[in-house]
Amino acid sequence: MINYRIYQYTSIARPPDPSETAMRVIAYLLPVAAVLGAALGWRAGLGGVGALREAVLFVLALYGCWALARELDPDDTPTAFVSAGIAMLAMALVAAPGVLIVYVTLGLVRMVNRSSGLRARRSDSVVLTVVAIWLMYAMASPLYGLVAALAFMLDGSLREPLRRQWLFALICLGAIVVYVVDHDFGLSQIGVPDSLFEWTGLLFVVIFALDTALLKRVRARGDVNNRPLEVNRVRGGMTVGFLAALQGLTEPDNVVLIVAVIAGLCIGIALRKGFRAPAA
């Protein structure tokens, strides 16, 4: 039985369901990810502390990417494992992949799609605002502030809107203005894809954007109220996800894990449709 006690404190940290097969599978994979991270860290000569850090990062990346994939495509649980697998490959190949951005984006997506069945608490909004602004400075990307602002706007305007979210959207927009003025940031500093990875990532983002636009129905239900998720809110969460990837494509290390999640979803969508509608 799921323990919903966590919802006394937050509406976006969904509790695990031990009776769910997918949850048990990811629980078995987490130690494997830890061993893989530790082994790669040790092989790279990082020492014991460095190997332990890599083990923790691999665990966080695996779970975060799997959870984000499930939020972006709530009706296709198996595909989330494809995304998680590609994310592990990215962790092994990229020196400093962005793990925190995965969790911040996950929180923003859950806030919009309300997969918990609950509206975001004020404390959730405060934490997401602070961390999103901090991340914007850490990545030197004011565009992520736009992603966060959009998420708050969507939560404040879609079905059963939470009007106070507009205040947090304005705070994010204000932080962008401060950043742009303080760092003399201009449109000329926004790069364009210039590598195979960046163009491939852009291709997956565009495919996912098209899938978002074509989404018509969602079967997944909220944790608490057991009501089907509202399709426009799920579509809004998907929009937040692909914009989070898009804003950082020219600095691929920052968003490589989100791109991996989206790539896995696109591959899963293609395979699923191929099996459902085989060529004559």
Side-chain angles (χ1 to χ4, degrees), residues 28-253:
Y28 296 144
L29 292 176
L30 291 177
V32 177
V35 172
L36 175 62
L40 291 174
W42 187 266
R43 182 180 180 184
L46 299 180
V49 174
L52 178 61
R53 183 194 64 196
E54 291 299 302
V56 172
L57 287 176
F58 268 68
V59 168
L60 291 174
L62 177 64
Y63 185 81
C65 290
W66 174 78
L68 179 59
R70 295 195 68 182
E71 296 294 335
L72 293 177
D73 191 353
D75 285 344
D76 194 358
T77 297
T79 298
F81 290 97
V82 179
S83 293
I86 297 176
M88 288 297 94
L89 179 61
M91 286 291 294
L93 296 177
V94 178
V99 176
L100 179 59
I101 189 176
V102 173
Y103 282 88
V104 180
T105 304
L106 174 62
L108 293 173
V109 172
R110 283 180 175 173
M111 178 182 71
V112 175
N113 69 17
R114 296 186 183 173
S115 54
S116 68
L118 300 171
R119 302 192 302 177
R121 289 177 173 268
R122 185 176 284 104
S123 57
D124 294 328
S125 301
V126 170
V127 170
L128 285 173
T129 299
V130 171
V131 181
I133 293 174
W134 182 87
L135 190 60
M136 183 180 77
Y137 276 83
M139 298 191 306
S141 175
L143 296 179
Y144 193 76
L146 286 176
V147 176
L150 174 64
F152 285 115
M153 290 178 188
L154 289 171
D155 195 31
S157 58
L158 294 174
R159 185 177 178 180
E160 298 179 4
L162 191 56
R163 299 300 184 190
R164 66 167 179 260
Q165 300 293 51
W166 284 91
L167 172 62
F168 295 100
L170 289 174
I171 293 173
C172 290
L173 292 175
I176 296 169
V177 173
V178 172
Y179 183 95
V180 168
V181 172
D182 188 45
H183 292 76
D184 195 24
F185 187 90
L187 293 178
S188 60
Q189 294 174 252
I190 301 176
V192 295
D194 62 358
S195 68
L196 179 60
F197 170 82
E198 292 172 11
W199 282 110
T200 304
L202 180 60
L203 174 62
F204 282 123
V205 169
V206 170
I207 293 172
F208 187 69
L210 292 173
D211 188 64
T212 299
L214 295 173
L215 182 68
K216 301 298 182 184
R217 184 168 60 94
V218 179
R219 296 186 300 274
R221 295 176 176 270
D223 293 341
V224 175
N225 56 21
N226 200 36
R227 288 164 50 188
L229 301 185
E230 208 275 319
V231 65
N232 286 328
R233 283 195 165 274
V234 173
R235 194 182 290 127
M238 296 170 74
T239 301
V240 170
F242 74 72
L243 288 180
L246 185 63
Q247 60 84 34
L249 272 181
T250 55
E251 296 291 339
D253 286 6

